[in-house]
Amino acid sequence: MGPLALSSSAHSPGPVGPAAPSQGRHPQSFTCVYRISRAPAQRPGPSHPGCPGVTIRFPPGGGEHHQDPRRAPILSPPPSAAPSEHRPCRCGGAPSEAAYVPPSQWGGPAGRLVWFQVAPERWARCWAEGKRMAAPAPDPQFILRGAGSAVRALHFCSGAQGRPLLLSGSLRGLVHIWNLETRRPLAALDGHGGQCVTWLHTLPRGPQLLSQGRDLQLCVWDLAEGRGAVVDAVRLESVGFCRASVLAEGPQRWTLAVPGRGSDEVQILELPSKTLVSCLKPEAGARLGMPMCLQLWQAESSPRPLLLAGYEDGSLALWDVSMRKVCSRAACHSEPVMGLALDPRRARGVSGSAEKALAVWSLEGQQALQVRGTHELTNPGIADLKIRPDSKILATAGWDHRVRVFQWRTMRPLAVLAFHSATVHCVAFDATGLLAAGSGDQRISVWSLYPPT
């Protein structure tokens, strides 16, 4: 076999043929994943310009494993492999018999002869070099099916006796209440006339559920004792996709932010009285465009509520709700801001847009917005972002059908969850660390990743 170069990839590659079962999903096992491609001609063996490249996986028990492939000798063959069994490169090159070549001979990582399974009881060997890649991402803990249309909103809450529930809003206007113990829907609430449900939130009173739909209604549901009845509604002025935000002001009093009548307005209401408190409108000539996402926030150093708003022009604005003025504004994106998440503990947040980057920003003195950096993405389009309640994990919902998981403090990528077959519209965390993702493929995936300690 000719020279094959081992390179890393952002996505977990698939195995060659009927590959050996991967055990990398379990912490007690060790799995190496490598991508092999054509190497430059100066490396050992003939070059193969037309070689399409292959992928190999080393299953536990399939050979001698080494944490550092630079210092590894040749990988020992598995018991089922005879020395004469090999598969040449697809371009027809002969297999290399060299076992180990030091980096000093050709200026790259060490090479070695490795084995991989291509069929039951059949193993192949090839020349490889490079570094160890991450193990494949895990499967969902379970899948919820039966939403009947694209899932556009998710929210965790607690039901009777503290049992965990997940609420989902669909494109066809239904709100499903899922029992996470039985993994079945308890009820389907129909209050939006078949129009898309874009936002869900629960209030401790009752308990009550708030659901926002594109029918220009924000419905208040009574969920006590499984009743599921609409007890009140707030008439909205905008039919856009901007999601509302709510902030508790007292035991029985809440502040609600919703898009306003004007294209660039945000209305602040008091619940349950539905009194209009203020209307936040940018100054003349600002040209921020429509509000795309909202987040109410109560700073520890101030008795007045603040509002973070992401706009169509890609900027974020921090509003003093009581004074009706912009405290600070920052240009974070070149495309409309599609979602934002705030970490009140660190006065730090992150936003996503239609472009291929996340923007990380802070609130200096809890008053001034400062962009701290950007994180480049593989594909454009972020539909939603959530920070886990313990402020350790960030999850994003992507237009590319993927959920991306980051360590929030450092923005280090942890996993790419490529389960869904359509746009992921929403993500949500519960207090125990469960992550839920809703997609246009009508499924909800529930994941248990990096449990809180």
Side-chain angles (χ1 to χ4, degrees):
M1 181 175 291
L4 298 171
L6 203 60
S7 63
S8 62
S9 172
H11 305 288
S12 297
V16 176
S22 172
Q23 303 296 324
R25 305 177 190 279
H26 306 289
Q28 65 270 23
S29 64
F30 174 80
T31 300
C32 296
V33 182
Y34 297 88
R35 171 159 290 177
I36 302 177
S37 59
R38 181 174 61 84
Q42 68 268 23
R43 296 182 181 177
S47 62
H48 304 296
C51 179
V54 293
T55 298
I56 63 172
R57 296 174 186 265
F58 298 142
E64 181 182 358
H65 298 299
H66 301 275
Q67 296 285 350
D68 186 357
R70 284 171 166 263
R71 300 184 181 139
I74 118 179
L75 196 72
S76 60
S80 60
S84 61
E85 285 184 339
H86 65 268
R87 187 177 69 172
C89 185
R90 294 181 186 179
C91 58
S96 170
E97 295 301 329
Y100 185 81
V101 176
S104 59
Q105 293 189 17
W106 41 276
R112 57 179 172 168
L113 193 67
V114 294
W115 294 80
F116 62 100
Q117 193 173 28
V118 295
E121 303 301 322
R122 176 168 168 76
W123 294 72
R125 59 183 177 177
C126 66
W127 182 265
E129 52 89 349
K131 64 180 182 179
R132 183 183 173 215
M133 288 174 58
D139 290 329
Q141 185 170 341
F142 55 88
I143 307 300
L144 301 177
R145 296 177 174 87
S149 61
V151 179
R152 303 301 295 264
L154 290 172
H155 179 71
F156 282 100
C157 67
S158 296
Q161 291 81 46
R163 64 182 179 183
L165 300 177
L166 177 62
L167 308 175
S168 68
S170 73
L171 182 65
R172 293 184 180 176
L174 295 180
V175 176
H176 286 87
I177 304 176
W178 302 87
N179 185 325
L180 296 183
E181 295 174 349
T182 63
R183 304 174 188 177
R184 295 289 186 272
L186 294 175
L189 311 179
D190 187 0
H192 290 281
Q195 297 296 312
C196 177
V197 177
T198 59
W199 178 75
L200 297 167
H201 191 84
T202 50
L203 303 176
R205 178 189 180 189
Q208 290 185 336
L209 164 67
L210 304 180
S211 66
Q212 177 187 0
R214 297 206 71 203
D215 59 343
L216 297 178
Q217 294 286 336
L218 192 146
C219 295
V220 182
W221 304 79
D222 180 10
L223 300 183
E225 301 177 359
R227 285 194 286 270
V230 176
V231 295
D232 204 352
V234 178
R235 179 70 180 176
L236 303 179
E237 303 290 346
S238 173
V239 75
F241 284 97
C242 181
R243 296 164 176 166
S245 180
V246 68
L247 177 68
E249 293 285 336
Q252 300 294 327
R253 181 171 171 266
W254 299 273
T255 297
L256 177 71
V258 295
R261 177 176 300 178
S263 61
D264 57 355
E265 291 181 0
V266 177
Q267 290 182 348
I268 306 297
L269 306 174
E270 181 186 317
L271 294 180
S273 66
K274 298 187 287 185
T275 303
L276 179 63
V277 175
S278 62
C279 183
L280 308 180
K281 183 177 176 62
E283 60 186 15
R287 296 183 180 180
L288 304 184
M290 295 186 297
M292 304 296 292
C293 49
L294 305 172
Q295 177 69 63
L296 282 166
W297 177 49
Q298 182 72 59
E300 294 181 359
S301 61
S302 173
R304 300 193 300 266
L306 302 174
L307 173 71
L308 275 166
Y311 286 92
E312 192 177 7
D313 72 338
S315 67
L316 287 178
L318 179 65
W319 289 85
D320 185 316
V321 172
S322 301
M323 301 297 292
R324 304 183 186 182
K325 69 174 185 179
V326 175
C327 302
S328 179
R329 187 163 69 93
C332 298
H333 302 274
S334 59
E335 298 285 344
V337 183
M338 304 304 296
L340 62 88
L342 175 67
D343 179 3
R345 299 182 186 181
R346 296 186 172 95
R348 178 171 172 258
V350 60
S351 54
S353 72
E355 61 188 353
K356 296 170 59 175
L358 300 175
V360 180
W361 34 266
S362 63
L363 293 167
E364 296 298 321
Q366 299 178 336
Q367 291 291 325
L369 275 168
Q370 295 286 337
V371 179
R372 293 301 178 186
T374 59
H375 182 87
E376 295 298 320
L377 300 173
T378 305
N379 299 309
I382 293 295
D384 194 17
L385 309 94
K386 289 293 189 300
I387 298 172
R388 203 165 70 179
D390 63 358
S391 300
K392 292 185 177 180
I393 301 294
L394 166 71
T396 66
W399 296 357
D400 63 354
H401 313 172
R402 288 167 171 79
V403 176
R404 286 178 166 80
V405 182
F406 302 85
Q407 185 184 42
W408 167 227
R409 183 177 62 85
T410 63
M411 288 301 292
R412 179 169 66 91
L414 298 177
V416 178
L417 309 179
F419 169 78
H420 290 283
S421 58
T423 296
V424 181
H425 293 290
C426 48
V427 287
F429 282 108
D430 80 343
T432 66
L434 278 182
L435 168 65
S439 170
D441 62 11
Q442 306 183 20
R443 297 179 294 176
I444 302 170
S445 58
V446 181
W447 309 75
S448 180
L449 303 171
Y450 310 100
T453 56

